[in-house]
Each structure stands twice: as structure tokens, then as C-alpha cells.
Amino acid sequence: NEESEEELSVEDLNTIGDMYYFGDGVEQDYEEAVEWYKAAARQDYDLAQYNLGHMYRNGYGVAQDYTKAIQWYKKAAEQGNSEAQNSLGDMYYFGDGVEQDYEEAIQWYRKAAEQGNGKAQNSLGDMYYWGRGVEQDYEKAVQWYKIATEQEYDWAQYNLGHMYRNGYGVAQDYIKAVKWYRKAAEQGNSEAQNSLGDMYYSGQGIEQNYEEAVRWYKKAAEQGYNWAQYNLGYMYRNGYGVAQDYTKAIKWYKEAAEQGNDSAQNVLGIIYYSGEGVIQDYEEAVKWYKKAAEQGNSSAQNGLGIMYEDGYGVTQNYREAVKWYRTAAEQGNDWAQYNLGNMYYSGKGVTKSYTEAVKWFRVAAEQGNSNAQNSLGNMYYSGKGVIQNYEEAVQWYRKAAGQGYDWAQYN
């Protein structure tokens, strides 16, 4: 092997490494690839040094070793290898094998970007977008994303679509958003496929078309993108662009939920609670509510509060109900605020307090919750927790009645 190494050029040595890496004409063998890369890297060949850095970074054919990865990336980067410069930027960005240092990351990204490396140009855009290592500047982010799209880099196309959709650093333009999402989506970028689905769903920048929305959601969902799985579940649940199919809806919600998507977990809680297209199962509802609630999903926190208040799928526990209602209420969830008001009104799990009840009814009522508006009306009517005031009561009853709340119409 050593004799043949001496006869081969560094390019050849690296190419043989690539053949073993990709399994091209030979059986894939990362360890063998590493040996060939080493042979070329020792002769100071930048591409092989970069490849060797990649092997150490990912633990392919060697034990994962960020320090060695950085050593080899640096050797290649100092020779002007833009991929190595970009990878060094990543190492400093994530703090892999070095202390996290956004400013150092930017220096390496910039070196690679100036050589036309699309990934690095996009990463520079990201730094300006998030304000990491530089002052946040959407216009500069757009500039770098635009430059990166010239290399047909899919993430830059997606990011540029995002900027146009939201009017960040550019005038909001749905048509341009669709154009850039489509370019990235056609390259197989799952987030862009999902976003293009969104545009078809909402009819923004393109004619509304649920079937097309489903088609793009499906492409992204099949690639494992959890938001697309959630969206596809939503389309099947509601029969938008497809025949309504609860089995398929639940399948896609579960795929998203198992990836930790709290919105999907919450919807599964609702589905099992109400028995929508499945056999009603309170314990299963509690399981999914809990997963989402622990991730901070206020709707699920409220749902979990209901389960504890009513003793559905769990042992009835008013204090636990209050805990979850409060957690959601403090996040601004109007139903949880209303439910917490009721707990104070009846003294369930808390010391009875009409003043506290009024406080929570009011914050929910001001968010337009008709139940809370009616309850606040009742408090003013009866003078509980507030000074009795019929005019104020009527005002709140009117607001609730205007939303079609039956009891308020009766009141």
C-alpha cells in the first residue's frame, strides 16, 4: 500500500479515499477512506485535510474527536479551502471542540463567503438575522441570503422566502416568497416544502389550493419534518384537499408528536379527550396533554387542568388542576384564565376569593372570552368581588351575547 501511495498523486490518494467513503466501485469502508485521506493530507493536500477533519468531526472510521477535526480543518482553511473555513465557522458557532465564539465563527464564515461558498454566505445571513456576533440587521441578512442564492443554495432560497413572507429587511412580498420557497422546495428542502404548502393553504402570493398544499406538506412530512406532519394531520382531520380521514390524521399527528411537536401532542390530547375518530380514551388524552404541557403549551396545560379538575384519566386533584390552569393563565391562555377564575369562585384547590375570581374573569374577558365576559357580568350584577354595578354588568353581558353566548342573551 505504501509503495502504491508513493506512485500516486495527492489528488489520486484523495480520490481513492472518496471511493471508499461513498462506496463508489468498492465496498463502502470509512476506515479505509481515512487511511487514504491521511496519506494525501500528510502531503499537505487541502482537500484531504478537509475530508479528514470531516471524518474526525463525525466519527466516521475513527473515534469522534473535535480537537483533531479542528486541527485538520485549520490546516486546510489556512490554505484557503472554503469548505474547511466554513466548517471551522460551524465549530466555533456550535462550540464543538472549542469554546463557543460567534465572532470567531463570523471571521471564518466571512473568509469562505468571500470565496463564493454558498453555505458560509447563508450562515453569515443567519448571524445578521439572529444578531449573533454582530448587531442584528435584517437588511444585511437579506444581502447575504441573496448572494448565497446565486450558488443555488437551498437554505438561502428558503431563508429569502422567509424574509419576503414576513417583510424582514425587505418590503413584504408574498409572490417573491412563493418564488424562493418553490426553488428551495424543488431542491428537496423540507422546510421550504412545508412553507410552500402554507402559501397554498392560505392563498398568499398564489391562488389558494388545498390539494397543492397537501402535496407539498406530504413531501416534507415524508422527509420527517415535524411541522409538515402536523399540517398534514390537520388537513386529514378537517378534510381540506383530501377526503377527511381520522386514521391518517392521527398517524401524522403521532409522527410529529413523537418528534416532540407540542402542537401535535396537544391535538392528540384533544382527539382522545373528545373521542374524535377514535374510541374516547382519557388516559391517552392525559398522556399527550402532559407531554405538550411540560413543553409549555398553554392549551395543553389548560386541558390537563380540566382532566385533574374532573378526574378524567387521573385521580381528581383540584390543587393540581389549579397549578396547570395558573401556568397556562400566566401565559395568557384565556380559557385557563376563565377556569382559574371559576376555581377561585368556588374555592376548589384554592382559598375561595371573589376578588381573585374577578381578576381572572376580567383578563379572560378582555381577550374576548365570552364565558368570562358573562361571568364578569354576573360578578357586577351580584356585587361579588366588585362593587355592584348593573350598568357594568349589562356591558359585559352585551359583549358575551354579541358573540352568541346563550346565557348572556338570557341575562
Side-chain angles (χ1 to χ4, degrees):
N1 202 18
E2 278 183 24
E3 279 178 29
S4 61
E5 278 180 23
E6 283 168 21
E7 291 164 19
L8 294 165
S9 69
V10 288
E11 288 90 347
D12 290 339
L13 295 171
N14 185 67
T15 301
I16 294 168
D18 284 344
M19 289 168 79
Y20 280 108
Y21 179 83
F22 292 108
D24 181 8
V26 288
E27 204 173 316
Q28 191 176 46
D29 186 334
Y30 287 152
E31 286 174 26
E32 194 64 26
V34 166
E35 292 311 309
W36 289 99
Y37 289 148
K38 274 183 182 167
R42 280 195 294 266
Q43 292 183 55
D44 223 23
Y45 185 49
D46 66 300
L47 204 48
Q49 292 168 337
Y50 163 72
N51 287 334
L52 204 46
H54 173 77
M55 302 305 268
Y56 278 111
R57 182 184 182 183
N58 295 287
Y60 295 155
V62 283
Q64 190 177 47
D65 187 330
Y66 288 145
T67 309
K68 281 189 179 161
I70 287 167
Q71 282 171 4
W72 287 110
Y73 281 150
K74 275 209 170 131
K75 284 180 190 287
E78 279 157 8
Q79 288 198 66
N81 183 295
S82 75
E83 284 295 328
Q85 291 166 342
N86 178 62
S87 295
L88 268 179
D90 287 344
M91 300 303 268
Y92 281 105
Y93 179 84
F94 293 110
D96 290 340
V98 283
E99 206 171 309
Q100 191 175 48
D101 185 337
Y102 290 146
E103 283 167 23
E104 188 69 17
I106 282 174
Q107 283 193 20
W108 288 109
Y109 285 147
R110 204 176 286 282
K111 283 180 194 286
E114 282 164 1
Q115 288 197 70
N117 185 295
K119 275 184 260 184
Q121 291 164 343
N122 180 67
S123 293
L124 267 183
D126 286 344
M127 299 307 261
Y128 281 108
Y129 179 84
W130 295 108
R132 290 176 182 157
V134 285
E135 210 168 303
Q136 191 176 45
D137 187 332
Y138 286 153
E139 285 176 20
K140 280 195 176 147
V142 167
Q143 280 171 15
W144 280 110
Y145 291 149
K146 277 186 177 165
I147 291 167
T149 62
E150 287 164 18
Q151 332 303 326
E152 300 291 323
Y153 187 54
D154 62 312
W155 279 107
Q157 294 167 337
Y158 165 74
N159 286 331
L160 197 50
H162 173 76
M163 301 307 265
Y164 278 114
R165 183 183 186 181
N166 295 287
Y168 295 154
V170 284
Q172 192 175 46
D173 188 330
Y174 291 141
I175 292 169
K176 281 186 179 162
V178 167
K179 171 190 147 180
W180 288 109
Y181 282 151
R182 191 182 300 283
K183 280 182 186 287
E186 282 168 355
Q187 285 201 66
N189 184 298
S190 61
E191 288 194 32
Q193 291 167 340
N194 181 62
S195 294
L196 189 54
D198 288 343
M199 301 309 267
Y200 275 112
Y201 175 79
S202 60
Q204 289 176 322
I206 200 154
E207 200 176 325
Q208 191 175 46
N209 185 329
Y210 288 154
E211 283 91 357
E212 271 301 290
V214 166
R215 190 169 80 85
W216 286 107
Y217 287 150
K218 206 169 261 177
K219 282 180 191 284
E222 283 166 357
Q223 286 197 70
Y225 184 52
N226 68 94
W227 276 110
Q229 293 166 339
Y230 170 80
N231 288 332
L232 198 50
Y234 174 83
M235 300 304 267
Y236 277 113
R237 183 184 181 195
N238 294 288
Y240 294 153
V242 282
Q244 191 175 45
D245 187 329
Y246 288 124
T247 308
K248 282 185 180 164
I250 288 164
K251 169 196 183 283
W252 287 111
Y253 280 139
K254 277 196 172 152
E255 298 238 354
E258 276 154 14
Q259 285 198 67
N261 185 300
D262 61 295
S263 295
Q265 292 166 343
N266 177 53
V267 171
L268 283 171
I270 293 166
I271 285 172
Y272 282 106
Y273 172 76
S274 59
E276 187 188 323
V278 287
I279 294 164
Q280 194 173 44
D281 185 335
Y282 290 145
E283 283 172 25
E284 192 70 9
V286 166
K287 177 185 106 175
W288 290 111
Y289 278 148
K290 209 166 251 177
K291 283 180 192 284
E294 282 164 0
Q295 286 198 72
N297 186 299
S298 68
S299 174
Q301 290 166 345
N302 180 61
L304 198 51
I306 292 168
M307 303 309 267
Y308 278 110
E309 184 183 350
D310 295 334
Y312 291 156
V314 283
T315 307
Q316 191 174 48
N317 184 331
Y318 291 148
R319 282 194 173 174
E320 196 67 14
V322 166
K323 178 190 104 174
W324 286 111
Y325 286 149
R326 192 183 303 284
T327 308
E330 284 168 358
Q331 282 198 71
N333 184 291
D334 61 308
W335 280 107
Q337 292 164 345
Y338 166 69
N339 289 333
L340 188 55
N342 275 331
M343 299 305 267
Y344 276 110
Y345 182 82
S346 55
K348 292 199 291 198
V350 283
T351 307
K352 190 171 187 167
S353 167
Y354 291 145
T355 313
E356 276 295 298
V358 165
K359 172 188 140 182
W360 288 109
F361 287 151
R362 190 182 302 283
V363 287
E366 282 167 357
Q367 284 201 71
N369 185 297
S370 61
N371 286 49
Q373 289 167 343
N374 185 64
S375 294
L376 191 55
N378 289 341
M379 301 306 266
Y380 275 109
Y381 182 80
S382 59
K384 287 176 177 169
V386 283
I387 294 164
Q388 192 174 44
N389 185 329
Y390 290 145
E391 283 174 22
E392 195 70 18
V394 167
Q395 268 193 27
W396 286 109
Y397 287 146
R398 272 215 184 108
K399 283 183 193 281
Q403 291 193 67
Y405 186 73
D406 297 344
W407 275 105
Q409 291 168 343
Y410 169 77
N411 287 328

